[in-house]
Amino acid sequence: MDIANWTERRVLGFDTETTGVDVTSDRIVTAALVMRHGLSGLSRVRTWIIDPGIEIPEGASEIPGVPTEYAQTHGRPPAEVLEEVAAAIAGAMAEGVPVIAFNASFDLTILEYELARNGLPTLTDRLGRTPGPAIDPLVLDRALDRYRPGKRRLSNLAEYYGVVATGELHAADVDVDATLDVLRALINRFPELAEVDLQAMHERQIRAHFHWARKFNEWLVVNGYDRPPADGSWPLQGDYALGEDEIADIVARARAAALAQRVDQPVAVSAG
C-alpha cells in the first residue's frame, strides 16, 4: 500500500477553549489551527479570539486566560471566526488531510453546534458526510494501552510520553502543538499506526471509542455512580452522533475482517 506514510504528509491540529463543557450550549472563546508538513515538521499556527456574546464564567476564564472584558474588546464576532475555522477544517478533510485533536469529539461537536447556532453550514453540511479523517491521541492511547493506570488528560499524556509543551497548557495553540507531539510519541511507541490507511484509522477509532464507552458505562453502573453515561459515538456526539446502525456496521465489518484474516492464516504443521 503506497500511502507515503501519512505521518510525513500534511496534518492539521485543532483545539478550542470554551465557556464550559456542555457542547450543546457553551461557546467557543479561542480556537487554534496548527498545520505541519509531517508530524515532525514546523508548526504554522493560526489563532482566533471570539467575543461569545455571553459572560465567560470565572472558572472558564482562567483556562483560556481570556476574561469577558478582554474577549469583548479583542474578540471578533462568532460567525466570522467560525466560518474561517470551519472552512479550513472542511477544506483539509476534503483533501484527505487528517485533523488531529485531543478528545476530538468535544471540539468537533461543539464546533457543529456553534456553526448551527450562528446560521452557518456545519462540517457535516460542507462535506456531505461525517467529518473525517480525524485522529485523536486520547482514543488511540486508551485503545493501545488500556490497562495503564492513571488519568489521561493531555497534561498526563504529555508527561507520560515525555512531551515538553511550548508554553502553558490550556491555551489552544499550546495544546495543539502538545497534541501533535503526543501523537508523534505515540506512533514512535506503536509504529504500525503510521502504516494504517487514514480511513481505516478513522474507523478504528470509531470502534475503539465505542468499546471504551461501553466498558466505562458498565463500570459506572457496577460502582454506583449517578452520572450521565459516556456517549459511544466518535468523532461527533449529541445531535450529530453517528447512528447506532452505522456504528454497529463498522464494528461488524471489523470483526468479519479479523475472522477472515485468522481463517486465511496457514496452519503450522509439526514435522514430527
Side-chain angles (χ1 to χ4, degrees), residues 86-97 99 108 112 121-134 202 235-236:
I89 291 175
M93 288 179 167
E95 294 177 1
V97 175
V99 172
L108 292 175
E112 294 288 77
T122 63
L123 295 176
T124 304
D125 294 332
R126 294 165 197 257
L127 292 164
R129 56 176 173 81
T130 300
H202 190 87
L236 295 179

Side-chain angles (χ1 to χ4, degrees), residues 24 26 37-38 43 45 89 106 141 162 178-179 185-186 191 200 213 221 228 232 253 271:
T24 67
D26 279 306
H37 190 86
S43 294
V45 182
I89 291 175
F106 176 82
D141 182 69
T179 296
L186 187 66
V221 172
R253 283 192 282 110

Side-chain angles (χ1 to χ4, degrees), residues 172-205:
D173 56 333
V174 177
D175 283 6
V176 178
D177 257 337
T179 296
L180 294 172
D181 290 341
V182 164
L183 179 60
R184 181 176 59 185
L186 187 66
I187 291 169
N188 286 340
R189 183 178 176 196
F190 302 100
E192 65 273 14
L193 292 174
E195 304 302 325
V196 178
D197 175 81
L198 286 172
Q199 180 59 34
M201 175 84 78
H202 190 87
E203 291 195 358
R204 179 175 181 173
Q205 291 169 103

Side-chain angles (χ1 to χ4, degrees), residues 156-181:
N156 304 128
L157 264 63
E159 180 179 2
Y160 180 77
Y161 286 105
V163 169
V164 179
T166 57
E168 185 177 355
L169 291 175
H170 299 305
D173 56 333
V174 177
D175 283 6
V176 178
D177 257 337
T179 296
L180 294 172
D181 290 341

